[in-house]
Amino acid sequence: MSSIWGKILRINLSTGEIKSEKVPADLSNKFIGGRGLAGKMLMEEIPAGINALSEENKIFFATGPLTGTTAPTGNRYMVVTKSPLNNVIASSNAGGFWGAELKFAGYDMLIVEGKAPEPVYIAIKDDSVQIKPAAHLWGKTTSIATEILLQEFGDPKARVAVIGPAGEHLSPIASIINDFCRAAGRSGVGAVMGAKNLKAIVVRGTQNVQVADPVKFKEAVRAAIKKIRENGVTGQGLPAYGTAILVNIINEAGILPTKNFQTGVFAEAENISGETLAEKYLKRKDPCYRCPIACGRHCEIDGLEGAGPEYETIWAFGSACGISDLKAIIHANTACNDIGVDTISAGSTIAAAMELYQRGIITNAELEDGPALTWGNAEAIVEWVKRMGDKQGFGSLLAQGSARLTAAYGAPDLSMSVKKLELPAYDPRGLMGHGLQYATSNRGGCHVRGYLISPEILGLPEPLDRFSLEGKAQWVKTFQDLTAAIDSSGLCLFSSFALGAEDYAALLAAATGIPYTTETLLKCGERCYNVERLFNLQEGYTAADDTLPKRLLEDPMPEGPTKGHVHPLDKLLPQYYAVRGWENGVPTPAKLKALGL
Amino acid sequence: MQLTVKLFATLRHNRFKAKIKEFDQGITVEQAIKVLDIPEEEVSLIMVNGILVQKEYVLKDGDTLALFPPIGGG
């Protein structure tokens, strides 16, 4: 008995073939599940150099051994595929209920291959799996499509993952939305579904996930829940204010990227803070499956209710665009979810467009009849997000993301991205470790591949001087490896504010019967990280791509507590490669051998 | 000496958001928190002029002292 079913559902949309196959046991032991296992399998199954939007690409929906168990935050699944945004390995993580439901249906993983000749959706009820026509859903927003699908499926307990118009139009920043508001947001995974003519996956499962050692598992779950409840961050801060609690502290440190990273201080931060959100608009908390933290927000404005917004979204449509109107940000968030675009990339792309407008590179003539792209124009963020769902016009150009947008106007340095993926809400000029993490993240500019904000700003697990370079390379490696292991387990990264590697090892060991220790868990994470690196190298990426936008390397922060600093990446990168056992960004044969790769 | 004191999240309850206040010259953050009548265990993070410090930090005239309860997210 194990919490891993050992079963993969594989669907080929070109041939219509549906089959169930076994998870290779040796791979499970080496890669845990989720992100690690799916990454390894993707690497083996697709040839290098393919077009991410072609039939040859495959898309993995991978749960972890703890998804769907009683472990706290056991609700995550990863979408793993080749990214149409930047051709690197995409692995987008989502919460809610869909991942657990796939597990209840008896599968660890769903792999979709090929391309349907017409729009379709996949309906799964335990062993009964069907490919159904979706012409009537094509063009519909994610919320409307979800409602129709739930009715058609005829079971209110079913769960839906769906793309919106942006995914259908192959926007490289398109997301997949499950349970109305949870997103596998980054890297354009929604466009891969769109390219396969796959509108949605509806799933309903009725099986209980078993564990290898129920007594030990119960003990480990109890201990983990206790730690989460007693921890100040997961027991008080996140439940009360959600992730938006970060707005004020990040601004106080002078690293809240403002006006497309032109500065790190936003004078009106208080208006878009977690405190203001809680005071004015919070209706209730909106937790994922089995989550005692409940950071999810449910807001009400103008009589309309909706999910979110998260910190990153508030930043991307707030200070990044010079906007202090929280209502407009909430509307933009809802529009992103409906259209099916990633909120970080969408907001950051509008911020880049606003800087192009500020510099006179984009003029009113190009904006059709749309709102002017002036800093602080609240109407602009809502309207332009809506138009990102258009097939043509300036909205569809915005839906290409900031790297393609700024390149089209001959100003690529104005894209605040790494490997074309837009940076999240922390200016690395005041965060030496976090900046190194951005530069070396395998999927591009990402904060959740190694959240160095924890030690550099939040003092967790111990405070580090955010301007010091000492030891940062090792911290980044350890955080990246542990995060890869957590992402592979099926738990939420936020659990790590309270839990340590030993807690994850205990939960996984009791659930699977595989004797995980802290050491083997981190080794699995490191293996995952190296496989992802190998994938990217195979796609032609080199050490030269491990970099940051020019502005952050060359232009000192103009004001505030971070004034005068740039990010000294050239000093940190060699140290990082050394602790990774990589030569100029490439894993050495000795390192690969040590990892059993 | 004068300090700008900023409180965040739950620390604001029944207190204030931001105030300029007079304190004795050369006091530490720990002493300032006592003067403000905030239970020490409620304060998790301390920033002076945007930099994380410990409670033993000695404050200077004109400093901005920001106090936070436990905070996380991402």
Side-chain angles (χ1 to χ4, degrees), chain A residues 41-352:
Chain A
M41 290 178 68
L42 179 78
M43 172 108 180
E44 286 181 356
E45 291 194 19
I46 65 166
I50 60 160
N51 179 345
L53 297 175
S54 72
E55 241 175 283
E56 288 176 282
N57 199 6
K58 299 184 182 186
I59 185 164
F60 290 60
F61 299 82
T63 68
L66 297 175
T67 310
T69 67
T70 56
T73 78
N75 55 60
R76 314 302 289 192
Y77 74 100
M78 299 290 300
V79 181
V80 178
T81 187
K82 180 173 180 177
S83 165
L85 178 74
N86 52 9
N87 290 323
V88 303
I89 190 161
S91 49
S92 291
N93 185 295
F97 295 82
W98 190 93
E101 201 69 31
L102 181 67
K103 197 75 177 275
F104 301 152
Y107 307 103
D108 301 301
M109 194 188 284
L110 162 67
I111 304 171
V112 183
E113 313 176 347
K115 178 185 179 178
E118 301 289 338
V120 295
Y121 73 91
I122 293 169
I124 302 167
K125 181 157 190 193
D126 297 323
D127 288 339
S128 161
V129 181
Q130 291 175 290
I131 302 169
K132 296 185 151 190
H136 61 303
L137 301 168
W138 211 249
K140 297 273 191 295
T141 62
T142 60
S143 54
I144 290 173
T146 300
E147 276 167 14
I148 295 172
L149 283 164
L150 286 173
Q151 257 185 350
E152 273 182 25
F153 197 80
D155 184 340
K157 288 184 174 167
R159 301 289 175 180
V160 178
V162 62
I163 58 167
E168 296 170 12
H169 301 154
L170 312 181
S171 154
I173 59 167
S175 60
I176 298 170
I177 301 287
N178 59 274
D179 303 300
F180 288 101
C181 62
R182 296 282 160 189
R186 310 226 68 197
S187 305
V189 292
V192 179
M193 273 180 70
K196 296 191 176 308
N197 268 329
L198 177 61
K199 177 72 178 176
I201 303 158
V202 190
V203 61
R204 172 78 177 108
T206 60
Q207 298 160 66
N208 287 327
V209 179
Q210 307 295 318
V211 293
D213 187 333
V215 175
K216 275 197 177 154
F217 188 69
K218 208 172 173 181
E219 271 172 31
V221 168
R222 261 194 207 149
I225 291 175
K226 189 165 184 279
K227 282 189 181 177
I228 287 172
R229 292 225 165 104
E230 289 174 357
N231 179 279
V233 174
T234 50
Q236 297 166 41
L238 281 171
Y241 294 99
T243 54
I245 195 171
L246 286 171
V247 172
N248 276 327
I249 191 167
I250 299 298
N251 190 51
E252 280 301 306
I255 49 170
L256 184 67
T258 298
K259 297 185 178 174
N260 202 34
F261 286 78
Q262 292 187 78
T263 179
V265 179
F266 186 48
E268 295 160 277
E270 180 66 32
N271 294 340
I272 59 170
S273 66
E275 288 90 334
T276 302
L277 183 73
E279 187 188 323
K280 288 192 173 171
Y281 304 115
L282 181 66
K283 177 104 174 161
R284 60 181 160 83
K285 296 179 212 169
D286 196 5
C288 300
Y289 171 79
R290 290 271 178 192
C291 183
I293 306 172
C295 72
R297 307 287 92 178
H298 194 88
C299 293
E300 182 179 342
I301 47 168
D302 305 331
L304 292 171
E305 287 189 29
E310 301 287 341
Y311 167 66
E312 299 293 335
T313 309
I314 289 178
W315 158 76
F317 289 108
S319 61
C321 296
I323 282 167
S324 58
D325 180 343
L326 194 48
K327 266 167 78 165
I329 294 169
I330 295 171
H331 283 305
N333 180 55
T334 305
C336 279
N337 288 350
D338 263 350
I339 299 299
V341 283
D342 174 42
T343 60
I344 296 176
S345 288
S348 191
T349 301
I350 292 176

Side-chain angles (χ1 to χ4, degrees), chain A residues 444-519:
Chain A
C446 171
H447 61 304
V448 283
R449 285 297 173 271
Y451 194 63
L452 270 288
I453 300 302
S454 275
E456 292 193 315
I457 292 291
L458 308 174
L460 298 168
E462 60 183 91
L464 295 182
D465 177 347
R466 63 192 174 99
F467 295 111
S468 166
L469 309 190
E470 204 188 327
K472 291 291 171 70
Q474 181 62 52
W475 273 89
V476 168
K477 176 187 179 291
T478 305
F479 264 53
Q480 288 175 337
D481 291 349
L482 178 61
T483 301
I486 297 168
D487 283 345
S488 302
S489 78
L491 296 193
C492 173
L493 186 56
F494 284 5
S495 62
S496 66
F497 287 116
L499 307 183
E502 66 285 0
D503 300 303
Y504 297 109
L507 285 163
L508 281 166
T512 63
I514 300 165
Y516 286 103
T517 62
T518 299
E519 200 189 9

Side-chain angles (χ1 to χ4, degrees), chain A residues 342-479:
Chain A
D342 174 42
T343 60
I344 296 176
S345 288
S348 191
T349 301
I350 292 176
M354 285 180 165
E355 187 166 355
L356 288 166
Y357 189 83
Q358 171 199 319
R359 290 167 187 267
I361 302 170
I362 289 176
T363 61
N364 285 331
E366 281 141 288
L367 299 184
E368 298 142 10
D369 57 343
L373 286 166
T374 40
W375 299 114
N377 184 359
E379 187 197 353
I381 55 167
V382 181
E383 180 60 24
W384 284 115
V385 166
K386 287 181 180 165
R387 294 195 193 189
M388 282 185 183
D390 292 350
K391 206 167 185 176
Q392 288 169 335
F394 190 72
S396 74
L397 180 58
L398 290 174
Q400 298 304 303
S402 68
R404 287 173 174 83
L405 172 81
T406 55
Y409 285 99
D413 290 343
L414 297 187
S415 169
M416 294 297 117
S417 60
V418 170
K419 301 178 180 79
K420 295 197 178 89
L421 185 67
E422 286 75 13
L423 291 175
Y426 317 87
D427 194 313
R429 285 173 287 193
L431 299 159
M432 303 304 117
H434 199 64
L436 175 64
Q437 200 302 115
Y438 277 162
T440 58
S441 156
N442 283 325
R443 70 173 181 178
C446 171
H447 61 304
V448 283
R449 285 297 173 271
Y451 194 63
L452 270 288
I453 300 302
S454 275
E456 292 193 315
I457 292 291
L458 308 174
L460 298 168
E462 60 183 91
L464 295 182
D465 177 347
R466 63 192 174 99
F467 295 111
S468 166
L469 309 190
E470 204 188 327
K472 291 291 171 70
Q474 181 62 52
W475 273 89
V476 168
K477 176 187 179 291
T478 305
F479 264 53

